[in-house]
Amino acid sequence: MNTGVLSAKGVCKSYGDNQVLQDLDLDIQPGKIYGLIGRNGAGKTTLLSILTAQNTMDSGEVTYNGKSVWENQDALNHICFSRELQPTLFTGPNNLKIKYYLNTASIFYPNWDQEYAQRLLQEFKLNPKKKISQLSKGQMSMVTILLALASGADITILDEPVAGLDVVMRERFYQLLLDDYAKTNRTFIVSTHIIEEAASVFERVIILDEGKIIENAETDELVNEFRYISGHQEEVDRACQGLEVLTTRETGRHKSCGVRGSAAQLAQAAQFDVDIAPMNLQNVFVALCGHGDEG
């Protein structure tokens, strides 16, 4: 599948006095699985809704293949944003049926795969005649996953797709996503709070913090820059010289630091009498975005 580049340049968005996105730049390259992670209120859903022309921005531009996505159906035909369904609407309970969402998607997305949608309905044990208000949170997540995967869209975006799913269904979702990616090589962006079990799926990770993208990197390369260094306080201090120290914990004369550095710097630190342990993506996220909460 040959897709174009989805780009955001200088995007700003505020709600009243709250600046949610600040002069944000982002390029989504084709044929990759991106993870979008950030704390609550970091601006993830706002960013995704702006990328897909479902929300306005105060300034900046969003383009697909160099053309604005705003009021551009040709561009939006290539992009699916499957967001969390709600059991209630402004008018009361969400009495729309699952089949309504499927029928709407089949009209909107040129590459909609009806056969695949039917297979997923059966696998997820979803009754298409059921109203959204009658579904559990996990079942609503299954509907959003079904819509995203069956859309066939070149760029497929899922916002918190595993909310309410048990661990078995979360694993099944990621396997379905990987199977689809292997078959189509389309671009996926997955926003999630459940970081570690998704980390192995993400080729690239985008970390959003206080309205700014602070990291956009290959997942393995990013994680390899981080370590925990622990031991006697004075020895840890010597080992950490030249490294960026992000977190610190002290108990008596024992000290543990979360650090970031180059391969050469981390190798130098290993020459001291300290214990060095790797971080996983969740550890990296907390170190970068915890703002001292974990220290």
Side-chain angles (χ1 to χ4, degrees), residues 94-281:
N94 186 349
N95 289 324
L96 296 173
K97 297 178 180 179
I98 293 175
K99 66 179 182 179
Y100 167 84
Y101 286 89
L102 270 63
N103 290 338
T104 301
S106 69
I107 296 169
F108 192 83
Y109 299 113
N111 295 324
W112 175 260
D113 189 336
Q114 184 63 28
E115 182 180 341
Y116 190 23
Q118 290 298 322
R119 291 203 309 270
L120 291 176
L121 275 175
Q122 293 177 6
E123 176 170 344
F124 295 162
K125 297 180 173 59
L126 293 171
N127 181 352
K129 296 181 180 180
K130 263 203 166 185
K131 299 174 182 178
I132 299 301
S133 59
Q134 297 174 322
L135 303 179
S136 68
K137 188 173 182 63
Q139 288 173 321
M140 284 189 282
S141 291
M142 292 179 197
V143 175
T144 64
I145 290 169
L146 185 159
L147 293 170
L149 294 179
S151 73
D154 295 340
I155 298 177
T156 301
I157 302 172
L158 299 102
D159 189 16
E160 298 293 346
V162 298
L165 296 182
D166 62 33
V167 65
V168 174
M169 281 306 302
R170 294 199 301 268
E171 286 292 323
R172 181 57 181 151
F173 159 66
Y174 289 118
Q175 188 57 57
L176 287 168
L177 186 149
L178 288 171
D179 290 346
D180 190 296
Y181 177 68
K183 180 180 178 181
T184 66
N185 198 39
R186 58 173 159 151
T187 304
F188 286 96
I189 306 173
V190 180
S191 171
T192 182
H193 282 94
I194 306 176
I195 298 172
E196 195 45 42
E197 66 184 31
S200 62
V201 176
F202 300 153
E203 292 181 89
R204 290 189 69 89
V205 61
I206 301 163
I207 300 180
L208 190 63
D209 188 44
E210 297 182 341
K212 298 179 180 179
I213 292 177
I214 61 170
E215 297 292 342
N216 180 4
E218 297 290 323
T219 305
D220 290 343
E221 292 179 6
L222 178 66
V223 171
N224 283 337
E225 295 178 5
F226 293 79
R227 296 288 190 278
Y228 286 119
I229 298 179
S230 60
H232 191 277
Q233 182 179 22
E234 294 179 356
E235 199 71 8
V236 169
D237 288 340
R238 286 194 287 267
C240 289
Q241 289 183 9
L243 295 169
E244 181 182 2
V245 178
L246 298 163
T247 64
T248 301
R249 289 183 179 179
E250 295 186 43
T251 305
R253 297 184 65 81
H254 184 272
K255 188 173 185 178
S256 177
C257 293
V259 302
R260 183 179 193 176
S262 67
Q265 289 173 318
L266 294 171
Q268 178 68 27
Q271 297 180 17
F272 293 88
D273 185 19
V274 292
D275 294 322
I276 298 182
M279 288 193 189
N280 58 35
L281 181 59

